[in-house]
Amino acid sequence: METLSRRAVNRATLERQLLLRRAEMSAYDAVEHLAGLQAQAPFPPYFGLWTRLAGFRPAELVALLENRRVVRIALMRGTVHLVTAADALAWRPVVQGIYDRDLKQNTLHARELAALDHDEVTEAARKLLLRGPMPGNALGAELARTWDAPPSSLTHLARGRLPLVQTPPRAVWGKAGQTTYACLNEWVGAPLSPPSPAALISRYLRAFGPATVADVQTWAGITRLGEVAAGMDLRRYRDPDGRELLDLPELTVPDEDVPAPPRLLGPFDQMILSYADRTRVISDAYRKRVISHNGLVKGTLLVDGQVRGFWDIEATRKAAVIGLSPFEKLPKRTLSALEKSAGELVKWAEAGAETHEVRVLPPE
């Protein structure tokens, strides 16, 4: 069994994640290829596509949301993702167990919901949503007319039992939009698919591989995928620590010496969240500086395929400033490339500001 070096695994990750070079593909094709984008906050998917695609315009993703070709829905790990409608229909049944367990264990809501007939509440919520999308607080308030439980807990139950999408204008570029829900199958006009864990594994490997079973399970938030993978036709490697890496047989790994250009990854970028062992792209020490205790993930500086700092933007109508905070001293050529990219990003993200500035802070 071939052993892949850490650098080779890193380069494969960058290639699958469209980070070795900006891709000439549509936003829809990119969302599909990437197995969705992290979307806990409304706008990180736009930044994720900006750094990966040539000439990406926010209006392209807005149109996909409004035309219902892509949706925002809680999927892997119980986290909101932006995915194609087809993938949402295929993947929500696979990960439904996450939500079933949560309804029994959630510290805020499980006790409030324990005495209720979950099937009855779910059916009532579904009928309410057939009338049209509803804000979460309104849905909970309507359900509380019948059931003696906090409206927030009733909304939580509906979100757990029904595949609820967050409808526009939520996450439309430049608009805030309150969280408003609709049933996925009604919203896109198609039924949910029978669950296929093997298909989910294949899509993960195409977007993130080669990877261990533990990596797949970390991304998906479900277990016992080793049993599924054992029955699949997969290519198998070893990493330097002897762990088995899985991959699709038709895919290859780029040469480990392929150049990796400096990049600015957006907040909540899935590349640093979708592995059990994240050291392929970020050290454990730097991860603690990028991801806060409450789960917020900063935009990051990618240098030679590894996270070496973070960035943030402060903007008013008059001025937009992007600050680069490297964790270590970087070569002048690398820093210059990051500054150039940052200048392009701040002008793209804050197009309405009168002035744009890039500031580089000294390493701490």
Side-chain angles (χ1 to χ4, degrees):
M1 188 182 297
E2 181 182 356
T3 297
L4 298 179
S5 68
R6 298 188 190 282
R7 188 175 175 87
V9 171
N10 171 268
R11 291 306 191 259
T13 301
L14 297 177
E15 182 178 62
R16 307 282 172 92
Q17 281 291 299
L18 309 180
L19 290 168
L20 285 182
R21 64 198 67 82
R22 278 196 163 97
E24 298 281 352
M25 67 170 62
S26 69
Y28 179 88
D29 289 343
V31 172
E32 182 179 54
H33 170 82
L34 295 166
L37 293 158
Q38 295 280 140
Q40 294 101 309
F43 303 127
Y46 292 88
F47 289 91
L49 292 177
W50 177 86
T51 201
R52 288 170 167 85
L53 302 182
F56 169 70
R57 296 175 299 106
E60 187 179 0
L61 184 54
V62 170
L64 292 173
L65 282 164
E66 293 179 338
N67 295 336
R68 310 184 187 188
R69 297 187 66 203
V70 302
V71 296
R72 287 169 49 84
I73 182 173
L75 285 173
M76 289 71 72
R77 306 186 305 284
T79 302
V80 177
H81 282 71
L82 185 142
V83 298
T84 68
D87 284 342
L89 292 165
W91 295 349
R92 180 55 189 256
V94 181
V95 301
Q96 180 59 40
I98 297 171
Y99 303 93
D100 295 338
R101 287 191 300 274
D102 175 74
L103 289 173
K104 297 177 181 178
Q105 301 171 0
N106 187 280
T107 55
L108 293 177
H109 303 294
R111 181 176 297 180
E112 304 287 355
L113 299 171
L116 304 185
D117 186 317
H118 288 196
D119 290 339
E120 288 185 0
V121 179
T122 300
E123 181 60 18
R126 187 187 69 81
K127 289 180 178 178
L128 285 170
L129 292 168
L130 284 175
R131 304 174 188 173
M134 296 181 67
N137 56 359
L139 177 61
E142 284 295 321
L143 293 170
R145 294 176 181 270
T146 303
W147 285 277
D148 183 19
S152 60
S153 294
L154 293 167
T155 300
H156 186 79
L157 171 56
R159 284 200 304 259
R161 291 292 300 275
L162 295 169
L164 299 187
V165 296
Q166 298 183 7
T167 63
R170 181 69 170 170
V172 168
W173 185 253
K175 298 182 180 180
Q178 66 176 324
T179 302
T180 302
Y181 294 108
C183 283
L184 168 65
N185 47 317
E186 299 291 341
W187 183 249
V188 303
L192 295 170
S193 304
S196 175
L200 188 69
I201 291 172
S202 293
R203 289 294 302 283
Y204 173 85
L205 294 176
R206 189 170 296 278
F208 294 99
T212 65
V213 169
D215 290 327
V216 187
Q217 293 183 157
T218 294
W219 171 76
I222 56 180
T223 58
R224 304 185 67 178
L225 291 181
E227 302 171 14
V228 180
M232 297 174 63
D233 178 21
L234 297 173
R235 178 174 293 178
R236 288 169 165 80
Y237 301 99
R238 293 285 181 193
D239 73 5
D241 295 322
R243 292 172 295 194
E244 184 178 64
L245 299 171
L246 307 177
D247 205 4
L248 299 180
E250 68 272 19
L251 299 183
T252 58
V253 174
D255 189 282
E256 65 177 29
D257 292 325
V258 170
R263 290 292 183 87
L264 274 66
L265 301 184
F268 295 100
D269 196 277
Q270 67 267 22
M271 197 180 73
I272 60 174
L273 295 173
S274 301
Y275 299 95
D277 180 2
R278 303 179 192 182
T279 58
R280 67 172 64 200
V281 292
I282 184 170
S283 70
D284 291 335
Y286 286 172
R287 177 161 55 89
K288 295 175 182 178
R289 300 179 66 177
V290 167
I291 303 177
S292 70
H293 292 298
N294 57 355
L296 297 179
V297 184
K298 298 176 182 179
T300 51
L301 309 179
L302 200 65
V303 175
D304 194 28
Q306 289 281 327
V307 171
R308 301 296 189 196
F310 65 85
W311 62 267
D312 55 18
I313 292 177
E314 294 183 4
T316 64
R317 291 185 179 181
K318 287 190 175 183
V321 178
I322 183 169
L324 306 184
S325 300
F327 295 147
E328 57 198 57
K329 186 175 181 180
L330 300 175
K332 289 184 178 180
R333 174 181 287 187
T334 297
L335 194 56
S336 177
L338 289 171
E339 289 183 75
K340 181 177 183 296
S341 185
E344 295 169 352
L345 175 58
V346 71
K347 290 178 181 178
W348 172 85
E350 301 293 339
E354 295 178 13
T355 63
H356 302 87
E357 181 184 351
V358 178
R359 294 178 184 170
V360 180
L361 300 179
E364 295 182 1

